[in-house]
Amino acid sequence: MTEDLALLDDLLRLCAAAGAEPEVHHTVPEHRASWADAPLVLVGDDAAARCRGAARREGVILVGRDRGGLDDPEVWRQAVEIGADCVLRLPDAESWLVDRIADAAEGAGRQALTVGVIGGRGGAGASTLACALALAAARTGRRTLLVDGDPLGGGLDVLLGGERAEGRRWPDFVASKGRVGGGALEESLPSVRGLRVLSWDRGDEVLVPAEAMRAVLAAARRRGGIVVVDLPRRIDEAVTEALAQLDLGLLVVPGELRAVAAAHRVATLAGLTLSDLRAVVRGPYAPGIDEQWVADTLGLPLAGELPHDPGLLAALDTGAPPGGEARGPLGRFSAAFWERVLAPEAVS
């Protein structure tokens, strides 16, 4: 709401950048619903006086261009009179305001529970577990997005049997900076077996800049539900960005001494960024080793013992995804994992 044409031009530009469609008024709209039901109201400082007497509501921001500054007591008096949540000055606050507008347009609420899976050594089975967890999450009816963070892993879409599914892959996002729309991201990705998958194409692009990883994962998380990220063992800048956005991480460790030694290095590096890292241990075990010994040696909580699935390799050869069968060993393990992890959510 403003009659300041220069300010209006700025706000329209920011709305376009955020993917929002604004409704413009010069004063408080006659239809009360326009004022009360809008997810966000931006009031120009030129129009603040015309808002006096309007119904109080959350989500009102007093906006002006950089004149007078925030130390002007008149600005704060206007903000109090209209019940504004905050006062912004452009252009300094443009980046923050774009994010706030986009959140309002997308109806951003609780962020997705984000779980990362990383192998303690090569061939530990991290990608297999990531796929199984994502499929089990989708079976609960929650919005689920699986992110392939390992460009050298061969593609999670292939593991799921969805390599021919239409949609965008990582090379389409490597130039992403700033904010990526959560809804636009989700709709652009291939839909495979009830979940959305961000994987790799068959090209030569094998690098995700840190800025792109930050932007894409932030967009994925804003939509809520569950996000599962399959991560490589190397900890570069992009992986560090991914680790920073995880709620918890699972380190998959085979029950052998050499694997435990390798996993210790991975755990140390990942632990510099991720505070909640848990061990998932799988057999067969070397003599004198069990799952609790492995977790204790690594200094990590034990998230569970990954069951042996004798039919897994044969199933993969026929195109069946890991954990695709809810009653199979991987399916049962994954379902039990989500029951434990999501239990506090049900209470809250």
Side-chain angles (χ1 to χ4, degrees):
M1 183 167 61
T2 181
E3 287 186 315
D4 183 332
L5 295 182
L7 177 60
L8 179 59
D9 284 344
D10 286 340
L11 294 178
L12 292 176
R13 172 174 52 83
L14 298 181
C15 285
E21 191 170 328
E23 186 177 310
V24 180
H25 296 272
H26 300 305
T27 186
V28 176
E30 294 182 6
H31 299 290
R32 293 184 179 181
S34 294
W35 171 270
D37 296 341
L40 186 68
V41 176
L42 307 179
V43 178
D45 54 6
D46 66 294
R50 296 193 290 277
C51 291
R52 293 170 185 163
R56 292 295 177 114
R57 50 153 293 165
E58 295 182 350
V60 175
I61 298 177
L62 183 62
V63 188
R65 304 184 78 208
D66 193 10
R67 56 175 184 267
L70 294 179
D71 55 352
D72 183 353
E74 177 64 17
V75 170
W76 295 103
R77 184 186 64 78
Q78 291 176 334
V80 171
E81 285 182 348
I82 68 173
D85 295 344
C86 60
V87 178
L88 301 181
R89 280 287 179 258
L90 304 182
D92 291 348
E94 284 192 358
S95 179
W96 186 91
L97 185 54
V98 167
D99 283 349
R100 185 69 179 84
I101 295 170
D103 283 345
E106 291 182 357
R110 177 182 294 183
Q111 289 196 328
L113 175 64
T114 306
V115 176
V117 187
I118 187 168
R121 68 155 169 80
S127 297
T128 296
L129 178 58
C131 287
L133 288 173
L135 289 169
R139 283 194 289 267
T140 69
R142 290 176 171 83
R143 170 199 167 270
T144 305
L145 197 152
L146 175 62
V147 178
D148 187 350
D150 186 357
L152 302 180
L156 293 186
D157 56 347
V158 176
L159 195 54
L160 289 169
E163 63 270 22
R164 296 184 180 179
E166 293 289 334
R168 301 175 73 181
R169 264 70 174 181
W170 262 121
D172 297 311
F173 296 100
V174 293
S176 299
K177 295 181 180 180
R179 186 182 179 105
V180 175
L185 170 69
E186 183 175 0
E187 292 171 7
S188 73
L189 298 179
S191 178
V192 182
R193 302 182 185 273
L195 58 124
R196 296 284 181 168
V197 182
L198 175 54
S199 189
W200 293 86
D201 63 7
R202 312 286 83 85
D204 296 330
E205 180 68 60
V206 293
L207 177 64
V208 177
E211 307 96 296
M213 181 66 76
R214 183 189 310 122
V216 168
L217 275 186
R221 298 185 70 211
R222 279 197 302 272
R223 298 284 287 176
I226 292 173
V227 175
V228 179
V229 188
D230 180 30
L231 294 170
R233 295 176 61 239
R234 69 180 189 282
I235 310 296
D236 58 17
E237 290 185 1
V239 174
T240 299
E241 286 291 347
L243 290 170
Q245 297 204 46
L246 300 182
D247 294 301
L248 66 92
L250 299 176
L251 182 65
V252 184
V253 188
E256 57 178 55
L257 286 174
R258 199 168 166 215
V260 174
H264 188 275
R265 294 181 178 179
V266 178
T268 299
L269 291 173
L272 295 175
T273 305
L274 178 62
S275 60
D276 189 353
L277 182 64
R278 310 176 192 181
V280 174
V281 187
R282 69 170 179 83
Y285 297 100
I289 292 179
D290 62 16
E291 67 275 15
Q292 192 61 59
W293 182 90
V294 171
D296 291 343
T297 301
L298 293 172
L300 299 176
L302 179 63
E305 180 184 18
L306 198 61
H308 177 60
D309 188 347
L312 178 61
L313 291 179
L316 293 177
D317 287 340
T318 64
E325 175 53 56
R327 297 183 179 180
L330 268 176
R332 293 197 305 271
F333 174 89
S334 300
F337 170 81
W338 291 123
E339 286 180 5
R340 293 194 302 273
V341 170
L342 296 171
E345 176 183 290
V347 172
S348 61

